[in-house]
Amino acid sequence: MVIYSVYIVSKSGGLIFNHDHNVPKIETERTFTFPLDINLEYEAKKISVSFGQSNGINVGHVLVGVNGILVNGLTLEDGRDVKEVLENRDNFPLTLKFSRPKMTTNEKIFLASMFYPLFAIASQLSPEPKSSGIEVLEADTFKLHCFQTLTGIKFMVVAETSQTGLDILLKKIYELYADYVLKNPFYSLEMPIRCELFDVNLQALLEQIEKTGITNI
Amino acid sequence: MSRQTRLDSKKVNSELLTITYGALVTQMLRDFENVEDVNKQLERLGYNMGMRLIEDFLARTNSPRCLDMRETADKIQLAFRMYLNIQPTISNWAASGDEFSLIFDNNPLVEFVELPTDLSQLRYCSIICGCIRGALEMVQLEVQSWFVQDQLKGDTSTEIRVKFIRRLEDAVPAGED
């Protein structure tokens, strides 16, 4: 019973709410000697593993720490350039910490607005007339359930593939939205949801599901 | 879950609503002086309420989309029962089927109200008309609604007319048109 995250997309396709509920944190630390036995790729704002997967450090993971010092983009927190540190034999052995990249808010907004046309295309591609858009999207590691209200707001939940009853959860989230967001006089429609009561109640709902299962709500 | 913690709708005293609404209207009369402005503002207030209230209605009732004015009328009737605990009668259908009346025998909003003669132009409950318009607009139906009869003005019953204008096709969400 794992629910990873909840998203709400407004009528016009903008992400107005997202909540990461249960995202497993994957971090691996290892001591390296010179030269490094993995290939690193220096991108615009991060350093990621491009080849040489081993011991939990996978391709795509990003460098987050060197000897316990945090990495900020391409520089260390103490101002040194990471590339220079890693290429200098005198600095070794080095303890490097890698982690799975986290999605930034911007990336989330970007992805949410990508889903919007996909949803619309799905309903147009349909061989049958009067088809809905995407309701369930399944991959080998997660399942995304989407519920669109009559007014056009989309509620999305990303969960484990084995999780059932997500449609009930989506209806419940809709009720919470109707209660704690729309009845909040200081919330303006179509704007990002920053309502603490909504957060609290959503959190409580998700925790209850974890404890007792979806059928009991 | 949220339902258990919130006030049960049946347990809210309707007099509180009646009095609060009365206070709102008198304050607006004081602020605007012009009765026509008050009517307009009340309608707008209702419109904004309706736009939000519709989500609550849909979340609680799981209603499907209406494809016919008769279904819409039934839904509006249900909404009145949910939110005001009154059941208006639906009648006076236009021959074209796009216009009907909601007839109220009693209306909680006017329970203690006597309209002074100099305010005969005031549509005391026009917030309801705005509410209907706002709520239906969110489900892509453009309607007009107005008072035909008003108990406050000596009529035997209160009658609200609802007229279908058009379906807002551009606003229908993808996957439903």
Side-chain angles (χ1 to χ4, degrees):
Chain A
M1 287 298 205
V2 182
I3 289 156
Y4 297 124
S5 48
V6 177
Y7 296 86
I8 304 178
V9 174
S10 75
K11 196 163 50 174
S12 45
L15 182 69
I16 54 171
F17 179 81
N18 78 80
H19 170 78
D20 287 327
H21 182 59
N22 202 336
V23 181
K25 202 173 167 188
I26 296 176
E27 280 189 342
T28 328
E29 200 162 30
R30 221 184 94 198
T31 308
F32 289 85
T33 51
F34 194 79
L36 288 177
D37 58 352
I38 52 174
N39 285 44
L40 295 180
E41 193 176 42
Y42 298 86
E43 287 165 44
K45 275 185 182 150
K46 60 182 180 189
I47 300 164
S48 61
V49 180
S50 63
F51 201 66
Q53 182 161 306
S54 68
N55 303 332
I57 299 172
N58 294 356
V59 170
H61 281 190
V62 292
L63 183 67
V64 291
V66 176
N67 281 344
I69 307 168
L70 284 180
V71 172
N72 264 338
L74 298 179
T75 50
L76 283 174
E77 219 168 33
D78 56 11
R80 284 183 295 165
D81 190 72
V82 180
K83 197 169 178 182
E84 281 168 19
V85 172
L86 293 183
E87 284 172 357
N88 189 346
R89 180 189 288 267
D90 303 338
N91 292 328
F92 281 81
L94 279 177
T95 310
L96 303 182
K97 191 189 222 176
F98 290 89
S99 124
R100 200 167 68 170
K102 273 195 211 93
M103 255 203 287
T104 62
T105 313
N106 265 340
E107 284 169 325
K108 283 179 189 160
I109 293 173
F110 179 70
L111 288 178
S113 49
M114 289 271 269
F115 185 78
Y116 185 81
L118 283 180
F119 185 94
I121 289 170
S123 75
Q124 287 183 12
L125 274 180
S126 157
E128 298 280 336
K130 297 234 172 248
S131 166
S132 75
I134 298 173
E135 287 182 344
V136 185
L137 192 146
E138 199 168 345
D140 60 353
T141 52
F142 73 92
K143 201 153 84 173
L144 183 149
H145 271 248
C146 176
F147 164 62
Q148 177 169 263
T149 68
L150 294 187
T151 53
I153 296 158
K154 289 185 191 67
F155 292 86
M156 287 183 266
V157 167
V158 179
E160 224 179 14
T161 45
S162 59
Q163 180 83 51
T164 53
L166 285 173
D167 39 345
I168 306 170
L169 169 64
L170 285 165
K171 292 264 158 59
K172 279 282 166 195
I173 298 175
Y174 186 24
E175 280 181 27
L176 291 182
Y177 169 78
D179 276 352
Y180 296 104
V181 178
L182 292 178
K183 288 178 194 167
N184 179 349
F186 300 107
Y187 172 74
S188 34
L189 294 178
E190 295 272 303
M191 294 308 278
I193 299 170
R194 293 205 184 82
C195 305
E196 208 182 317
L197 275 176
F198 179 67
D199 292 348
V200 170
N201 283 281
L202 180 67
Q203 185 75 36
L205 174 67
L206 294 175
E207 271 163 19
Q208 201 195 349
I209 286 171
E210 264 174 4
K211 266 189 235 129
T212 60
I214 274 180
T215 42
N216 292 327
I217 53 174
Chain B
M1 181 211 61
S2 62
R3 300 285 165 228
Q4 291 155 15
T5 52
R6 50 183 278 155
L7 288 170
D8 188 341
S9 51
K10 289 191 188 76
K11 284 184 191 146
V12 178
N13 193 333
S14 75
E15 287 186 10
L16 179 65
L17 173 76
T18 313
I19 294 165
T20 317
Y21 185 68
L24 174 77
V25 177
T26 47
Q27 186 62 46
M28 284 171 103
L29 283 168
R30 223 169 284 148
D31 289 349
F32 288 109
E33 291 169 4
N34 184 348
V35 175
E36 211 31 63
D37 284 348
V38 177
N39 288 338
K40 233 181 268 166
Q41 286 298 327
L42 281 175
E43 217 266 347
R44 232 183 72 187
L45 247 152
Y47 175 77
N48 289 331
M49 275 170 62
M51 284 174 88
R52 290 166 178 247
L53 209 53
I54 182 74
E55 304 281 6
D56 186 71
F57 177 78
L58 293 173
R60 287 214 224 174
T61 55
N62 280 328
S63 320
R65 179 174 297 283
C66 299
L67 297 168
D68 175 63
M69 208 51 188
R70 284 172 202 278
E71 291 174 52
T72 311
D74 288 340
K75 295 280 156 62
I76 294 177
Q77 194 181 34
L78 175 64
F80 273 107
R81 210 166 49 219
M82 269 172 68
Y83 294 112
L84 288 175
N85 203 18
I86 46 176
Q87 180 145 0
T89 343
I90 297 165
S91 63
N92 301 352
W93 279 94
S96 50
D98 63 350
E99 206 179 322
F100 63 90
S101 290
L102 294 160
I103 298 181
F104 303 84
D105 298 329
N106 57 339
N107 175 351
L109 290 183
V110 300
E111 215 172 319
F112 311 112
V113 180
E114 294 170 43
L115 210 57
T117 41
D118 57 323
L119 289 178
S120 60
Q121 288 308 306
L122 177 70
R123 291 189 294 276
Y124 188 82
C125 290
S126 57
I127 200 165
I128 295 180
C129 294
C131 224
I132 294 175
R133 190 167 67 90
L136 290 184
E137 191 173 303
M138 288 299 276
V139 285
Q140 298 88 40
L141 286 175
E142 190 179 324
V143 297
Q144 238 171 28
S145 79
W146 67 94
F147 275 96
V148 197
Q149 290 188 66
D150 195 339
Q151 273 167 328
L152 285 180
K153 294 176 184 160
D155 297 316
T156 46
S157 59
T158 300
E159 178 178 348
I160 294 178
R161 196 99 181 121
V162 178
K163 181 178 166 50
F164 171 83
I165 307 290
R166 69 192 174 106
R167 195 155 174 239
L168 301 161
E169 291 293 348
D170 329 331
V172 177
E176 296 215 15
D177 40 355

